[in-house]
Amino acid sequence: ERKGCTAERVGENSLCMDGAVFENVISKYGLPNMSFPHCTRELKINPIHDYAESVWGPDYLTAIGIRADESERISSRASQEGIVYPLVHWWPHTKADVLRFFEQFPWDLKIPEELGNCVDCFKKTDAKLNRAYHAAPEFFQWREVMEGRYSHIKPEGDKTLGPRKTYRKHRSAADMIELFEYLGPPPRQLFDPEKAGGCTESCE
C-alpha cells in the first residue's frame, strides 16, 4: 500500500492523485456506468456520511450544492434522507451568482468549463465528452486501462453479456477515443454562465 493513500487523515501533500483510490473501487465493484453508478456512492456519498457520523453521530443534515438554476436535480427523497439544498431554498443562487462571488478572491482553480469535476463521466453527452477528450485525453486513456484490467468484474445483478463497458450504448473507452479522433476537436464555444450545465450530467 502506498503512503498517503490509506491514511485516515490526509493533507494536500498526501493525497492520491493518480487514480489509485478510484481503481480500488473499480477492482471491487467493476466499471461504473449508467446502470451501476457506484463511483458516486463509493467515492463521495459513503465517505461523506462516514466522516459526518464520526464527528456528529447519526443526527445531521447533508447540504448539497445544487443551485437554483439546476433545481430539477433535487432528490424526491431529500426529506427522508436528511438532505437540504441551501442554494435552492435558503439563499437561491445561480451559476452566474457563484462565479461573481468567487471573482473577489485571488485564486482560481482554472478548471475549463468542459471538464468539470469528473472529466470523462459516462453521464455526459457525447458532445461534452468530445470537448473533454480533446482538452484532456489522458483521462480517457486511464479509463481504457481500467477497462482492460477490470471489464470482467460484474456486481450482483449485472446481466450484461460480454465484457463490461463504461459509456452509453455499451461503448468502451477505446470506442469513444476512436470516435473523438474521427470527429476531431469541436469548435470553441462561448461560455454563458447562465446556460452552462457544468456537472449537471455528472454527479448527483
Side-chain angles (χ1 to χ4, degrees):
E1 294 180 348
R2 293 175 25 255
K3 182 179 179 181
C5 291
T6 57
E8 290 185 14
R9 296 286 185 267
V10 295
E12 61 181 324
N13 295 321
S14 59
L15 290 171
C16 279
M17 302 296 288
D18 61 358
V21 176
F22 196 177
E23 183 171 359
N24 287 341
V25 170
I26 294 172
S27 69
K28 181 175 181 178
Y29 298 101
L31 297 161
N33 55 29
M34 290 296 288
S35 299
F36 296 91
H38 48 260
C39 46
T40 296
R41 181 192 71 214
E42 296 300 322
L43 296 173
K44 293 178 69 175
I45 296 174
N46 286 349
I48 287 170
H49 287 303
D50 287 346
Y51 174 76
E53 290 182 13
S54 74
V55 176
W56 297 291
D59 188 21
Y60 63 89
L61 295 175
T62 302
I64 304 295
I66 286 174
R67 307 178 308 268
D69 55 310
E70 49 182 2
S71 58
E72 71 278 359
R73 297 175 62 202
I74 290 176
S75 171
S76 60
R77 295 184 48 79
S79 58
Q80 299 98 304
E81 297 177 0
I83 296 173
V84 293
Y85 300 93
L87 298 182
V88 176
H89 298 129
W90 301 349
W91 309 287
H93 279 69
T94 66
K95 183 160 194 169
D97 296 327
V98 172
L99 292 175
R100 278 193 293 269
F101 173 80
F102 282 105
E103 283 176 354
Q104 65 184 297
F105 299 102
W107 46 264
D108 189 329
L109 295 178
K110 302 186 186 304
I111 299 175
E113 182 65 24
E114 62 267 20
L115 300 186
N117 292 328
C118 303
V119 176
D120 60 334
C121 180
F122 49 82
K123 294 183 180 180
K124 292 181 178 179
T125 64
D126 284 2
K128 286 187 177 182
L129 287 171
N130 189 25
R131 289 197 295 274
Y133 172 74
H134 286 283
E138 64 272 15
F139 287 88
F140 293 81
Q141 293 160 359
W142 181 87
R143 186 82 67 164
E144 186 176 20
V145 171
M146 294 300 101
E147 289 181 344
R149 292 178 183 171
Y150 304 110
S151 62
H152 63 285
I153 297 176
K154 297 183 181 181
E156 185 177 350
D158 187 349
K159 306 299 183 184
T160 305
L161 297 177
R164 193 158 193 205
K165 297 183 180 179
T166 300
Y167 296 95
R168 301 180 196 214
K169 303 177 183 176
H170 198 60
R171 293 176 294 179
S172 67
D175 294 331
M176 305 307 283
I177 291 171
E178 182 180 6
L179 173 64
F180 299 147
E181 285 291 332
Y182 172 77
L183 293 175
R188 186 67 184 168
Q189 293 186 334
L190 294 176
F191 172 54
D192 183 345
E194 294 287 3
K195 295 180 180 179
C199 292
T200 57
E201 289 182 293
S202 303
C203 301
E204 287 76 10

